[in-house]
Amino acid sequence: MISKRLIGLMSGTSMDGVDIADVQFTKSDVGKWSHEIMSTHAVSYPSELLGKLSNSKSLPSEELTLLDKEISLFFSKEVNTFIETNKINKTEIDAIASHGHTVFHQPEKGFTLQIGCGAILASKTDLLVINDFRTKDVIAGGQGAPLVPIGDSLLFSDKADGFLNIGGFANLCVLNEPIIAFDISPGNLPINELMQKHHQQNYDKDGLTARCGSLIPKLLNDLNSIKHYSAPPPKSLGTEWLDGTFTQIIENYADEGANDVIHTVTAHIADQIVRSLNSLRVNSVMITGGGALNLFLIELIRAKFRGNIILPERELIEYKEAIIFAFLGALNLDNSVNTIPSVTGATNAVIGGVKHLP
């Protein structure tokens, strides 16, 4: 039996902060993994840091390097506070597994960039750090995403045959043979941006704003006609695509009511999710991520999905990705592959992640 305890850090594209999860992983003598969540915590980004992250793609190289240092120090401070608050014995922690914060993701050009310097994080926490989980897969010809399906298949396969995470983007994993996983569509990101622009709110709580709006059929048709949706997996999405394709379509409807646009974008996301679930004949889907708390969005999905929807406990809804990135670190320490080529499109599975000694 092998036991590894890691702290997982997840900073998603929705930029609502960093999720921290302390998780104990155990591998049985027959190779089956299990896990126990020890403690979790979410930290919002300070407004100044959030502003820099929102603008990170357009920063000159020197400012981006400084931002890399700044977010690394922020991660370090929050991990140290998390350890102290939860009275964690640091000698029991095998490593920190950090996703970092994605600035660029262009696997078709052979690169992806997540800031959050592993050397700084290791030095400031005095713990081994594993980060940069995506690059090795990209080098092997993959998308570098999604990486979560390895956790779905090894940790949660008894809960459902489909796993939908609605974060900044909506991504799906289906436990077929071979496993299929891909980014379906935008998730919370465009809704959050519209809420901030028109209502000075960070997100649409419970989907109440969308519920108050009305459908704009032509906008829905334009969004549903985006080429990404008809392309076969493996496929992934980044904020560059969102800005260059999705947002431009929405801007053509600037004269429409804000709530109607938010309603239509929410309906579009539901349409694409249901289309993917039904076409892959998913029987049951476990939904996690912030979008799982959008009651209106879940209602729209439930109305057209032919299978069963599973909403797990709130801790798993909010921290599943941090838990699984901790697991990617555990697999790395176990010298086991932590990517799935059928999912990412790589030529072979790899042991993703770069180690940084304290």
Side-chain angles (χ1 to χ4, degrees):
M1 188 173 71
I2 295 171
S3 184
K4 302 289 183 185
R5 184 173 174 182
L6 288 94
I7 292 175
L9 300 184
M10 181 66 201
S11 174
T13 49
S14 54
M15 290 187 292
D16 49 0
V18 58
D19 295 333
I20 309 174
D22 171 17
V23 192
Q24 183 84 47
F25 298 98
T26 303
K27 184 182 181 182
S28 72
D29 293 337
V30 295
K32 182 174 176 58
W33 286 95
S34 60
H35 74 287
E36 180 184 359
I37 303 170
M38 311 300 286
S39 50
T40 55
H41 185 58
V43 186
S44 299
Y45 286 123
S47 57
E48 184 178 351
L49 178 56
L50 179 59
K52 293 176 183 178
L53 290 172
S54 301
N55 193 41
S56 59
K57 290 195 300 296
S58 60
L59 292 177
S61 57
E62 184 176 348
E63 290 184 34
L64 183 58
T65 303
L66 287 171
L67 178 59
D68 183 28
K69 177 183 178 181
E70 185 175 349
I71 197 171
S72 305
L73 292 173
F74 176 78
F75 287 165
S76 302
K77 177 176 71 71
E78 294 304 331
V79 168
N80 286 331
T81 300
F82 177 78
I83 289 171
E84 182 179 352
T85 301
N86 291 285
K87 297 179 172 57
I88 298 169
N89 183 347
K90 287 177 71 170
T91 63
E92 296 179 0
I93 301 297
D94 291 288
I96 296 169
S98 175
H99 171 268
H101 185 82
T102 299
V103 177
F104 301 113
H105 182 66
Q106 299 183 37
E108 70 282 357
K109 296 181 180 178
F111 71 89
T112 183
L113 174 66
Q114 287 75 42
I115 59 174
C117 175
I120 291 176
L121 186 54
S123 177
K124 295 297 183 181
T125 61
D126 199 30
L127 288 167
L128 174 68
V129 169
I130 309 170
N131 71 343
D132 193 12
F133 284 96
R134 300 190 185 276
T135 296
K136 212 169 179 180
D137 182 83
V138 172
I139 293 169
Q143 294 279 309
L147 297 182
V148 167
I150 192 78
D152 290 332
S153 63
L154 296 180
L155 297 178
F156 300 110
S157 62
D158 60 333
K159 294 185 179 295
D161 64 332
F163 299 88
L164 173 67
N165 189 80
I166 311 174
F169 293 92
N171 50 70
L172 174 66
C173 170
V174 182
L175 299 183
N176 285 347
E177 184 57 52
I179 294 172
I180 299 171
F182 56 95
D183 286 344
I184 297 175
S185 69
N188 301 326
L189 259 180
I191 298 173
N192 293 351
E193 289 174 357
L194 288 164
M195 289 296 297
Q196 289 160 0
K197 179 179 179 180
H198 296 288
H199 297 292
Q200 294 74 53
Q201 296 176 23
N202 291 330
Y203 64 101
D204 185 9
K205 181 174 173 56
D206 296 332
L208 291 175
T209 300
R211 193 186 296 276
C212 292
S214 299
L215 191 71
I216 306 171
K218 189 173 186 308
L219 172 57
L220 181 64
N221 181 67
D222 287 351
L223 292 174
N224 282 339
S225 299
I226 291 174
K227 288 183 179 179
H228 172 85
Y229 304 132
S230 59
K235 55 184 178 178
S236 61
L237 294 170
T239 53
E240 298 96 325
W241 173 88
L242 188 72
D243 295 340
T245 300
F246 198 89
T247 303
Q248 287 188 7
I249 294 174
I250 293 175
E251 287 174 350
N252 294 332
Y253 293 83
D255 293 337
E256 300 283 352
N259 290 2
D260 295 343
V261 173
I262 293 168
H263 175 103
T264 305
V265 169
T266 303
H268 161 71
I269 294 165
D271 277 359
Q272 292 306 318
I273 288 171
V274 170
R275 174 178 166 271
S276 295
L277 292 172
N278 287 339
S279 66
L280 290 169
R281 299 181 181 179
V282 175
N283 294 311
S284 60
V285 63
M286 185 170 82
I287 306 180
T288 56
L293 305 176
N294 184 323
L295 302 181
F296 182 61
L297 175 60
I298 298 302
E299 282 180 24
L300 293 177
I301 296 170
R302 196 184 298 275
K304 296 181 180 179
F305 173 46
R306 293 194 287 265
N308 182 39
I309 288 177
I310 299 166
L311 294 173
E313 63 272 19
R314 179 100 180 213
E315 189 171 49
L316 190 54
I317 285 177
E318 296 184 346
Y319 294 98
K320 179 169 172 260
E321 289 202 318
I323 291 165
I324 290 185
F325 268 89
F327 183 54
L328 295 179
L331 290 171
N332 180 293
L333 293 177
D334 190 49
N335 203 34
S336 299
V337 297
N338 53 12
T339 63
I340 303 175
S342 67
V343 164
T344 67
T347 56
N348 55 277
V350 300
I351 302 174
V354 177
K355 294 185 180 76
H356 301 268
L357 295 171

